[in-house]
Amino acid sequence: CTVQPGVNWVNLNKYLSKYNLFLGVDPAPAACIGGMVSTCCSGPSALRYGTMRNQIINLKVVLSDGTVLKTGQRAIKSVAGYDLNSLFCGSEGTLGIVTEATLRLRASPKYTEIAQASFDDLEAIGKCVEEINATGVNLAAFEYLDANMGNALKKYDKKVDLVLNKQVIIFKFCGPSKEHVDADIALIRHIVSKYSQHPFKWSKDEKSRERLWKVRKNAFWAARFANPGKDCIITDVAVPFSKFNDSLVLCKREMDKSVLNCPIIGHIGDGNWHSCIFYDKNKPVEIQETHRLNDLIVSTALKLEGTCTAEHGVGKHKVKWLKQELGENAVDFMVSLKKHVDPHLILNPG
């Protein structure tokens, strides 16, 4: 489909539902296509369908001198020239302004199930995730909530069916038939039973599916509700999924010792996780501690061959990490590209 940048992805999916189609990324509900392209957004569904970059067929872009260009035709694949879609997607408005996007759509799965599993510790989760990834099962989403976030969700909605003070994984299964989905659930349930003594729970109908998935989508608002009057920094790092547990264990050890409340949520299937670090903006000590924890999380990710930002973008505050992540030559190349495309810095300066 071809849309303009102000189209909201939730509204687009509502429109597409009558054709049994949908857009394969699911960022925050307020997100619109232009911003989604500029930040190369993703979300839980990126595990199966990829990030925003994987949804783009072509773009119409206006450069700083008014030049209008189109990045390609409508073919699903092409090697004609440079990959301009990837150049502009994620450039955060530094190279051009997206005025139109032709997007790849996906067939809506006929059957969907949501399930959750609870664990006593991160070590058990690490072993469980490693075995699940080794099976090759194609999950639609694979999400992690730490005990702190689970408790916040329980405060936010007392009807939420979560085991308190436990680490939680939420699984989303999709497939063309009930038998297909049931086989995936049976496989995951068997693996989970090796590492957890807690019941493996799954949705039984559409209402219970919506409620359980809403737990995941409401996580940020639940965390804010549990920390009234506090400001928040949301971290955003990713590591190779084989290093997910190492990253979490190292950082969580420090966060648990901190005076600040730092609930965690993660896309465990692709190694991306976030912490909401809550602090009092009127207390310099808490501001300092917030930045210390954020720096620890980013530096740990980079040591594990990860990235300083997987979804949320560089902006102003993560520029300082780029040379450490990408190397000086890569950053210098990006600076020279920016100067060539936007010599008068009319666009976002970056």
Side-chain angles (χ1 to χ4, degrees), residues 152-163:
L153 281 158
K154 199 76 173 176
K155 285 182 183 178
Y156 186 68
D157 182 356
K158 291 182 171 53
K159 293 181 180 178
V160 166
D161 184 19
L162 290 175
V163 179

Side-chain angles (χ1 to χ4, degrees), residues 43-54:
S45 294
L47 175 67
R48 184 165 183 147
Y49 302 109
T51 66
M52 191 64 188
R53 184 174 285 113
N54 303 106

Side-chain angles (χ1 to χ4, degrees), residues 223-236:
R224 288 204 74 96
F225 178 80
N227 295 272
K230 298 281 188 176
D231 277 271
C232 177
I233 282 182
I234 304 174
T235 70
D236 172 45

Side-chain angles (χ1 to χ4, degrees), residues 30-43:
C32 294
I33 299 300
M36 292 162 66
V37 172
S38 293
T39 58
C40 191
C41 76
S42 50

Side-chain angles (χ1 to χ4, degrees), residues 259-275:
V259 297
L260 304 181
N261 191 19
C262 313
I264 294 172
I265 191 163
H267 311 302
I268 200 167
D270 55 20
N272 177 206
W273 64 275
H274 314 286
S275 177

Side-chain angles (χ1 to χ4, degrees), residues 277-316:
I277 306 175
F278 289 96
Y279 66 97
D280 187 334
K281 65 180 180 181
N282 297 312
K283 294 181 178 179
V285 173
E286 291 197 7
I287 295 174
Q288 184 179 4
E289 173 68 355
T290 299
H291 289 296
R292 184 188 76 83
L293 291 174
N294 186 48
D295 288 351
L296 169 76
I297 291 167
V298 174
S299 61
T300 301
L302 295 182
K303 288 174 185 174
L304 295 171
E305 299 183 90
T307 179
C308 66
T309 178
E311 300 179 319
H312 298 170
V314 176
K316 293 190 299 183

Side-chain angles (χ1 to χ4, degrees), residues 116 118 150-151 161-168 198-199 201:
Q116 62 164 304
S118 302
N151 293 344
D161 184 19
L162 290 175
V163 179
L164 287 175
N165 302 313
K166 300 297 178 186
Q167 320 286 324
V168 174
H198 303 285
K201 302 178 182 179

Side-chain angles (χ1 to χ4, degrees), residues 17 20 28 32 39 66 100 106 121 218 224 281 295:
S17 63
N20 292 317
C32 294
T39 58
E100 190 175 271
R106 317 287 175 155
D121 55 65
N218 280 342
R224 288 204 74 96
K281 65 180 180 181
D295 288 351

